[in-house]
Amino acid sequence: MSAQKNKPVYVTQPLLPPLEDFLPYLETIWNNKILTNGGPFHQQLEQALCDYLGVKHICLFANGTLALMTALQALRINGEVITTPYSFVATAHSLLWNNIKPVFADIEPHSLNLDPSKIEAAITPQTTAIMPVHCYGRPCDIEAIEKIADNYNLKVIYDAAHAFGVRHRGGSVLNHGDLSVISFHATKIFNTFEGGAIVCPDAKTKQRIDHLKNFGFVDEVTVVAAGINGKMSEINAAFGLLQLKGIDGARQKRKAIDAHYRQQLAGIDGITCVQQGDAEAANNAYFPILVGPDYPLSRDALFQRLRDQEIYARRYFYPLISDFPMYRGMPSAAHANLPVARLASSQVICLPIYPDLEMATVDAIIAMIAAPALQQEVIRNIA
Ligand SMILES: *Cc1c(COP(=O)(O)O)cnc(C)c1O
């Protein structure tokens, strides 16, 4: 089809600056021969991200999953942690890798984030922490979660992998909870090819995390913990510094695409655009829609129809994490425990959204979604 120039359209396309802009950074690395171990670009990117995001301390990692695993180690979490089944599988995997039992609680139908009342109901004497996800970048019910954590003396580690740049009540959403973890994977709105970070509120915690991500080394001869190698390399950190220059422009383009989808899809029976909360504060990382029973096609039939036109939308998050084999047998993974997550998982499609997605392609996608509903309308009118 002409609108997309016969090229397949994926759910996202990585933000990449012009190649020549990266060459001076590489020259610096080739000259100073510092490739990793908290070198100058690593330090500069930590500072630049603190400034851009409006947070106090950041610890860079090689990826978001290692950051999640290390965040749990940093706070010495054990026992049971309450989390959401409606997320990318790394959320719960980080718990299993630490020998922690994930306890799944259901989500809210409007935000698709953990439901605070369900968190409270899942607390046992073994519970030590809550790991919520700001799903699609929409902030959780932070105030309610904080209250529960205070009442039951639980830690809160936010999987904020989707929430780069999101604001909450005038500040960064990453300033809430005990720690927040972000991802800079190629598919995220801000990427360093691979990368991630822990946002933490105080220098002491940052120091512990910095030790943990470097084998537990404090100095040449002192190892204080069974740490891991989680460090971000200089090449990734340098790339992050360059990426920051383009991030605001990229986010503006996302915002325009989000607004266009939202306006054009609003009238289609059976299609619901997932609310984004405070639109000004959002980062438009994803564009999820729910395909309800009033739509003439099933979710999977629409998904297939888009694929047939080489529109590779994604069913984030299907299947639920709790349906994967290593979680399935857990009592909290039972279908009856998670009806809202189950329904969302059966209805969701994330439509393509990325800065260089052309509006003509967005219009073509909207037309593909509208067509079955329009046909239905015609049939109804004739009958
Ligand atoms: C991307 C993602 C992660 C993992 O981040 P990586 O950088 O890919 O390791 C974790 N949680 C969620 C919710 C994610 O979307």
Side-chain angles (χ1 to χ4, degrees):
M1 79 182 300
S2 64
Q4 64 202 64
K5 302 194 190 84
N6 295 316
K7 269 192 279 178
V9 175
Y10 298 99
V11 71
T12 192
Q13 188 180 82
L15 182 63
L16 281 175
L19 180 58
E20 60 269 24
D21 292 357
F22 192 44
L23 299 181
Y25 293 83
L26 293 178
E27 274 168 19
T28 303
I29 294 174
W30 259 247
N31 286 331
N32 69 16
K33 309 223 173 356
I34 302 174
L35 309 189
T36 184
N37 286 6
F41 282 132
H42 186 284
Q43 290 172 31
Q44 284 174 49
L45 183 60
E46 285 193 342
Q47 190 53 54
L49 284 171
C50 283
D51 296 344
Y52 181 80
L53 296 170
V55 302
K56 281 226 180 74
H57 300 281
I58 277 196
C59 310
L60 295 175
F61 276 80
N63 60 63
T65 304
L66 278 166
L68 277 174
M69 285 162 51
T70 307
L72 291 159
Q73 290 270 332
L75 301 182
R76 299 180 172 87
I77 304 297
N78 55 24
E80 296 178 0
V81 170
I82 297 167
T83 190
T84 171
Y86 191 80
S87 178
F88 181 62
V89 72
T91 310
H93 277 4
S94 71
L95 298 169
L96 279 197
W97 269 77
N98 277 300
N99 259 316
I100 296 163
K101 181 177 164 194
V103 174
F104 297 107
D106 208 359
I107 58 175
E108 301 171 321
H110 60 285
S111 71
L112 308 181
N113 285 326
L114 264 181
D115 181 335
S117 70
K118 300 293 164 33
I119 295 174
E120 196 153 14
I123 294 172
T124 75
Q126 281 71 50
T127 310
T128 57
I130 309 166
M131 186 181 271
V133 176
H134 301 301
C135 193
Y136 309 127
R138 180 186 167 133
C140 293
D141 189 341
I142 286 169
E143 287 70 28
I145 290 171
E146 192 173 302
K147 213 166 174 183
I148 294 167
D150 287 348
N151 282 347
Y152 293 88
N153 194 24
L154 305 175
K155 301 285 189 195
V156 180
I157 298 175
Y158 281 107
D159 180 341
H162 302 170
F164 184 91
V166 172
R167 316 285 295 171
H168 178 71
R169 307 222 158 150
S172 172
V173 74
L174 305 170
N175 285 327
H176 298 278
D178 293 280
L179 297 173
S180 291
V181 174
I182 36 182
S183 166
F184 309 141
H185 185 258
T187 54
K188 307 300 204 274
I189 69 162
F190 172 83
N191 83 76
T192 57
F193 280 51
E194 291 266 9
I198 301 178
V199 173
C200 65
D202 61 276
K204 193 158 165 258
T205 311
K206 172 166 168 57
Q207 194 176 54
R208 174 163 166 77
I209 294 167
D210 284 344
H211 293 157
L212 282 171
K213 78 176 192 188
N214 190 30
F215 312 98
F217 275 114
V218 173
D219 59 42
E220 249 175 71
V221 293
T222 316
V223 172
V224 291
I228 198 160
N229 181 1
K231 304 182 299 288
M232 178 181 281
S233 85
E234 284 293 278
I235 222 167
N236 300 98
F239 189 74
L241 281 168
L242 178 57
Q243 287 285 66
L244 267 183
K245 297 184 180 179
I247 187 69
D248 283 336
R251 288 178 60 183
Q252 266 163 20
K253 290 185 190 168
R254 283 179 175 275
K255 211 168 262 310
I257 294 166
D258 181 293
H260 192 64
Y261 267 137
R262 224 167 268 282
Q263 190 193 18
Q264 297 296 313
L265 293 173
I268 302 178
D269 268 356
I271 298 292
T272 307
C273 300
V274 175
Q275 298 167 20
Q276 58 180 347
D278 178 357
E280 275 307 302
N283 68 2
N284 311 106
Y286 299 88
F287 197 86
I289 60 169
L290 299 175
V291 183
D294 292 343
Y295 189 73
L297 301 177
S298 71
R299 186 274 305 270
D300 289 338
L302 175 59
F303 176 72
Q304 190 54 49
R305 211 176 257 217
L306 293 169
R307 285 180 85 87
D308 293 344
Q309 304 288 331
E310 296 196 287
I311 305 294
Y312 295 98
R314 295 294 298 267
R315 291 167 291 185
Y316 297 143
F317 290 99
Y318 168 84
L320 293 178
I321 298 176
S322 47
D323 281 341
F324 290 122
M326 60 297 297
Y327 302 103
R328 207 152 48 201
M330 298 176 174
S332 69
H335 288 189
N337 189 44
L338 307 167
V340 181
R342 186 152 299 286
L343 184 65
S345 180
S346 73
Q347 294 187 335
V348 74
I349 298 182
C350 284
L351 299 179
I353 185 166
Y354 51 87
D356 288 339
L357 181 61
E358 285 172 26
M359 278 303 180
T361 308
V362 176
D363 280 330
I365 295 167
I366 292 163
M368 285 174 213
I369 297 170
L374 290 174
Q375 283 160 16
Q376 179 100 331
E377 183 92 341
V378 171
I379 293 165
R380 240 190 265 129
N381 286 346
I382 294 169

